[in-house]
Amino acid sequence: MSLDEGIHHRDRCAIVGIGETDYTRNSGRSDLTLATQAALAAMADAGVDPFDVDGIVRCDMDTVHANDLIESIGLPNVTFWCDVGQGGVAAAAMVGQAVGAILSGQATTVLVFRELNGRSGRRYGLSSARSTTIGGGGTYDELYQPYGLLTPGQVFAIMAQRHMIEFGTTPEQLGRIPLACRERANANPRAQMHARTLTMDDYLASRMISTPLRLFDFCLETDGACALVVTSTERARDLRQPPVLIRAVAQATIPSPQPGTMYPVLARPNITELPATAAADVLYRRAGLGPDDIDVAQFYDCFSITVLLQIEDWGFCKKGEGGDFVSSGAIDAGGSLPINTGGGHLSEGYIHGLNHVLEGVRQMRGTSTSQVAAAEACLVTSTPLPPGSALILTKA
Amino acid sequence: MTDLAPLLPVDDDLDTGGFFEAARRGELVIRRCNGCDAVLHVPRMFCRHCRSWDGRWAPVRGAATVYSWTVVTHQVHPAYPVPYTIVLVDLDDLPGTRLVSRMPGTPELTAGLPVEVWFEEIGEVDGRPIVLPQWKLVTSVPA
């Protein structure tokens, strides 16, 4: 018996508003301005006013705090706020915290946001090492960074190389993922790569960054913000938009995730699997659904390989068969599992997984620029390296 | 190219310092539990398997095999000019326990290749030499 037996949040809350800023390389705006713009857009989309919002959920890497947004927008009735981490595994769990606050009576209408000047400000893809000594204090960076292992991309490159060793995955197969994302971005005017096409030849000819990963295996760096509004399904029925139900949401860990910030994942027994396997077990159980029920998916895509691993971990094919799955066309428009239909982090923009939730909402509203016909269930994952989170959205 | 010194590890962390202390002596050690002998890597004090706080730094042979790698071709830090190769090695004495190493340039690698440890002094902090265990391909075949 699982610990969550008898816990029921299924379909009891809904996402009723979404908003985002433009996605750019240099916003020329403060983080607070970006967060405020996205939040106002989400509230307007939902048709809620500042008096209605009584909860705020932020990511632990947001520089904007709850009180900053309360002050900026003028939200006089906030009685609940919290932070969710770590970074890229937060987005779906942020929605989960909103659900928890609502169902426990701590809030009725919760604003969830993520903002970053990810290109013009702090760039996550660069080495964060600033001093001559590194690590300690539980980071475990001292065991890795002095060797020149300095970025998330290099960690995922080592995982990708191992996937190639074990399963014979090829660069051409990996390339199908950035290509699919780019094609969806070409249909999405909000996407940073909207106007730029990408062919397999372009992909294979692109600059190698850290073998076997090339430039287009890496996500974008983006200035921008996303926000959404969560409320109870009951209240949602009185609001402006057709409610999109949160079928289920989950955080989950593997038994031995390893400590630290990032690099110790390389000490896990198996580096071709992510904690997504655990999230899949919990989320599917809570939702009463399985991979066959998912019509469209938004996979967290800091790198192409991150998607390939998750496709396997979420049960859309067997471990090791991700390469064949993506090259079969399954992830493309008209395939059995169209992915990242706004373009994802690889081609729409990098808002740390929250833009994936927004795109999931659009799919369930029927308003995506790459709408999947008759889609009734959308998986959204926030399952890169650390124990992660995910949710399933359905039509009301 | 660059003359910049590499990043020096904090070598006196309460949980990981023993690794660097041993490296200074030319010894490779892995944290083990004295209660149940479990490998506690990356290093930590509490054994979640047998709930023991009693552990040791256990010497291991400096023999391993290549598990995976990446050739870094895009430079992100001035002290680490490209190309170089980060190798993840799997210890012969404790299969499944893995350490990283940096190899210069772009060595020809395949999974399972034998590697041996060597100790690189990369700097000094408060008069203490800072030493990293590194790994290189085994080239000499015993006669």
Side-chain angles (χ1 to χ4, degrees):
Chain A
M1 183 178 133
S2 53
L3 298 177
D4 60 358
E5 199 84 21
I7 296 172
H8 277 295
H9 64 260
R10 189 186 290 175
D11 292 341
R12 291 177 65 191
C13 291
I15 297 177
V16 293
I18 56 174
E20 75 278 300
T21 64
D22 51 342
Y23 302 143
T24 68
R25 290 164 60 88
N26 187 357
S27 71
R29 283 160 279 165
S30 68
D31 288 15
L32 181 59
T33 294
L34 292 174
T36 301
Q37 288 179 327
L40 288 172
M43 290 163 61
D45 183 57
V48 300
D49 78 30
F51 288 92
D52 298 326
V53 174
D54 54 5
I56 296 175
V57 181
R58 68 188 274 279
C59 174
D60 64 347
M61 288 175 76
D62 275 317
T63 62
V64 173
H65 291 78
N67 61 306
D68 302 329
L69 207 54
I70 289 168
E71 176 67 32
S72 177
I73 298 177
L75 301 170
N77 294 323
V78 173
T79 59
F80 172 88
W81 58 88
C82 71
D83 308 341
V84 184
Q86 306 159 289
V89 295
M94 288 159 70
V95 176
Q97 291 299 308
V99 168
I102 291 163
L103 296 184
S104 64
Q106 296 180 82
T108 63
T109 305
V110 180
L111 188 62
V112 175
F113 77 97
R114 177 77 181 97
E115 104 292 314
L116 72 169
N117 275 308
R119 183 60 171 73
S120 68
R122 183 187 159 195
R123 298 176 62 180
Y124 299 165
L126 295 183
S127 167
S128 55
R130 291 286 173 270
S131 56
T132 53
T133 56
I134 191 84
T139 63
Y140 293 96
D141 289 348
E142 67 273 27
L143 297 174
Y144 298 93
Q145 292 207 38
Y147 293 93
L149 182 59
L150 299 165
T151 68
Q154 294 163 2
V155 173
F156 270 105
I158 290 171
M159 296 166 78
Q161 181 64 51
R162 185 67 200 178
H163 201 275
M164 291 177 169
I165 291 166
E166 287 184 31
F167 306 116
T169 307
T170 66
E172 288 80 1
Q173 290 175 329
L174 214 46
R176 292 298 291 260
I177 293 164
L179 257 60
C181 288
R182 182 61 62 89
E183 284 171 12
R184 305 296 85 74
N186 293 150
N188 173 8
R190 294 180 310 278
Q192 281 183 278
M193 291 297 168
H194 174 58
R196 294 164 69 169
T197 56
L198 181 71
T199 66
M200 183 58 81
D201 286 345
D202 296 335
Y203 167 80
L204 291 171
S206 70
R207 193 156 58 89
M208 195 64 85
I209 302 294
S210 188
T211 63
L213 301 184
R214 296 166 161 79
L215 178 66
F216 295 117
D217 292 306
F218 281 63
C219 70
L220 304 174
E221 296 173 302
T222 304
D223 288 8
C226 286
L228 56 88
V229 178
V230 182
T231 192
S232 67
T233 301
E234 203 180 332
R235 282 174 187 268
R237 301 200 189 281
D238 299 328
L239 294 172
R240 177 177 296 161
Q241 297 287 351
V244 171
L245 299 182
I246 300 161
R247 174 74 178 187
V249 58
Q251 290 173 286
T253 183
I254 51 175
S256 184
Q258 287 289 350
T261 47
M262 174 168 58
Y263 306 103
V265 300
L266 294 174
R268 289 175 183 163
N270 184 347
I271 61 167
T272 57
E273 214 173 85
L274 294 165
T277 51
D281 285 346
V282 178
L283 184 66
Y284 287 145
R285 184 177 66 237
R286 289 182 179 176
L289 299 173
D292 290 347
D293 301 305
I294 303 299
D295 302 307
V296 52
Q298 317 298 334
F299 287 110
Y300 191 92
D301 54 343
C302 43
F303 305 97
S304 58
I305 182 65
T306 323
V307 175
L308 192 86
L309 299 179
Q310 288 177 92
I311 285 172
E312 298 170 346
D313 294 343
W314 282 94
F316 294 101
C317 64
K318 291 194 183 113
K319 179 52 65 184
E321 294 178 1
D324 288 336
F325 184 85
V326 299
S327 55
S328 74
I331 62 172
D332 299 322
S336 60
L337 185 74
I339 66 162
N340 300 10
T341 46
H345 287 159
L346 291 170
S347 278
E348 183 187 42
Y350 177 87
I351 313 294
H352 233 171
L354 206 55
N355 49 325
H356 292 60
V357 181
L358 267 58
E359 176 60 19
V361 170
R362 286 189 198 95
Q363 281 290 345
M364 292 301 96
R365 287 180 177 178
T367 60
S368 170
T369 48
S370 292
Q371 183 61 41
V372 174
E376 290 184 353
C378 180
L379 171 68
V380 183
T381 75
S382 308
T383 46
L385 292 172
S389 67
L391 55 80
I392 292 173
L393 300 172
T394 53
K395 282 185 168 170
Chain B
M1 293 301 290
T2 175
D3 318 312
L4 275 177
L7 295 167
L8 300 177
V10 168
D11 69 326
D12 57 354
D13 181 84
L14 292 170
D15 288 351
T16 67
F19 180 81
F20 297 103
E21 200 182 299
R24 239 189 311 275
R25 299 191 304 264
E27 208 174 7
L28 185 68
V29 295
I30 295 293
R31 188 77 187 168
R32 303 287 294 265
C33 172
N34 280 337
C36 68
D37 223 28
V39 173
L40 304 176
H41 182 73
V42 294
R44 48 197 177 260
M45 293 299 113
F46 182 63
C47 174
R48 65 194 172 88
H49 305 285
C50 75
R51 325 306 284 176
S52 170
W53 288 100
D54 184 19
R56 69 185 186 281
W57 291 101
V60 287
R61 281 186 302 136
T65 53
V66 171
Y67 189 74
S68 191
W69 66 90
T70 182
V71 180
V72 180
T73 48
H74 174 80
Q75 191 160 335
V76 293
H77 193 286
Y80 295 86
V82 294
Y84 61 92
T85 302
I86 301 287
V87 187
L88 186 64
V89 307
D90 196 81
L91 298 182
D92 283 5
D93 277 357
L94 298 171
T97 301
R98 301 190 189 115
L99 300 172
V100 295
S101 180
R102 180 167 59 133
M103 293 183 182
T106 59
E108 193 70 27
L109 296 178
T110 54
L113 275 184
V115 288
E116 61 190 4
V117 79
W118 62 285
F119 293 91
E120 183 185 22
E121 187 174 329
I122 58 169
E124 200 182 277
V125 170
D126 299 335
R128 299 190 304 275
I130 303 293
V131 177
L132 292 183
Q134 295 274 19
W135 298 81
K136 62 182 179 187
L137 292 171
V138 176
T139 47
S140 56
V141 181

